[in-house]
Amino acid sequence: KAGVTQTPRYLIKTRGQQVTLSCSPISGHRSVSWYQQTPGQGLQFLFEYFSETQRNKGNFPGRFSGRQFSNSRSEMNVSTLELGDSALYLCASSTQGVSAFFGQGTRLTVV
Amino acid sequence: DAKTTQPTSMDCAEGRAANLPCNHSTISGNEYVYWYRQIHSQGPQYIIHGLKNNETNEMASLIITEDRKSSTLILPHATLRDTAVYYCIGDISNFGNEKLTFGTGTRLTIIP
């Protein structure tokens, strides 16, 4: 059974640009959650999607957005990148009766 | 979600049992205690969870005090591959962890 797949694994962007990260959940999992991990703030919840609808949202500015497709794949977008957005972005998929499974993450560097 | 408190770091000798404590004095009656770990440069991995009773699986054992204000994760025979950051989390979901609140965790180092 394939795990959670995140692409790309590494990304370098310039301040002011925007970026889109992708997450393919485990087959059959309908919930996809996104997290940001930085040395200073640790692991922080961004948002969660279930059946193409945002169901939970963390405390992040509107520059961070996401969406989920009918096949449960999810994307997150960060617009107008700032240096502080440099982080490891993790995606997790889950379903009722199963714990969260995390992907390897996308390491974003903003220069 | 309950606020959890864990020691910043711990060492354990290889082959010994690693006992990781967690305080969660504000945990509510319907919140489960979850443990995840994160090995360097990887995503977090689920270990075990429990509500009131002690739990054991192939990875670890979880001991929850009767008043549910604290718990201990036990890795019975620690190996070098158990070196990781361990997170104790309170969550109301009995699986289906859609929104996890991670604290700072305990950095466990297994010493050869």
Side-chain angles (χ1 to χ4, degrees), chain A residues 21-62:
Chain A
L21 312 181
S22 178
C23 173
S24 293
I26 290 172
S27 177
H29 288 195
R30 293 166 66 189
S31 169
V32 175
S33 302
W34 289 90
Y35 296 80
Q36 181 196 65
Q37 186 170 28
T38 61
Q41 299 298 318
L43 262 162
Q44 293 186 288
F45 172 78
L46 278 157
F47 31 66
E48 181 243 350
Y49 286 85
F50 180 84
S51 292
E52 302 179 64
T53 301
Q54 187 180 88
R55 193 164 62 171
N56 288 292
K57 188 176 188 304
N59 189 26
F60 277 81

Side-chain angles (χ1 to χ4, degrees), chain A residues 33 35 37 55 98-100 102-103, chain B residues 36 38 44 46 95-96 98 100:
Chain A
S33 302
Y35 296 80
Q37 186 170 28
R55 193 164 62 171
V98 175
S99 62
F102 284 80
Chain B
Y36 279 76
Q38 187 175 24
Y46 166 81
F95 283 132
E98 302 92 3
L100 293 168

Side-chain angles (χ1 to χ4, degrees), chain B residues 51-62:
Chain B
L51 184 63
K52 296 181 191 176
N53 300 322
N54 299 336
E55 302 288 345
T56 295
N57 63 19
E58 64 279 3
M59 289 182 70
S61 295
L62 174 60

Side-chain angles (χ1 to χ4, degrees), chain A residues 16 18 20 28 48-49 57-58 60 80 82 89 91 94 97 99 101-102:
Chain A
Q18 74 164 10
T20 299
E48 181 243 350
Y49 286 85
K57 188 176 188 304
F60 277 81
T80 320
E82 301 175 359
Y89 290 89
C91 158
S94 66
S99 62
F101 285 83
F102 284 80

Side-chain angles (χ1 to χ4, degrees), chain B residues 69-101:
Chain B
K69 291 186 177 181
S70 66
S71 61
T72 301
L73 177 75
I74 301 172
L75 308 177
H77 305 287
T79 70
L80 297 178
R81 286 178 293 183
D82 293 321
T83 292
V85 178
Y86 288 76
Y87 297 97
C88 167
I89 302 167
D91 191 72
I92 62 171
S93 304
N94 184 16
F95 283 132
N97 305 137
E98 302 92 3
K99 179 187 174 186
L100 293 168
T101 302

Side-chain angles (χ1 to χ4, degrees), chain A residues 56-110:
Chain A
N56 288 292
K57 188 176 188 304
N59 189 26
F60 277 81
R63 298 186 298 107
F64 293 81
S65 63
R67 59 177 175 169
Q68 186 180 36
F69 302 95
S70 59
N71 62 358
S72 294
R73 190 177 71 84
S74 177
E75 291 180 346
M76 70 161 282
N77 184 277
V78 187
S79 62
T80 320
L81 283 166
E82 301 175 359
L83 295 179
D85 297 332
S86 294
L88 179 67
Y89 290 89
L90 290 157
C91 158
S93 76
S94 66
T95 190
Q96 188 64 34
V98 175
S99 62
F101 285 83
F102 284 80
Q104 296 278 62
T106 294
R107 184 162 297 281
L108 171 65
T109 302
V110 182

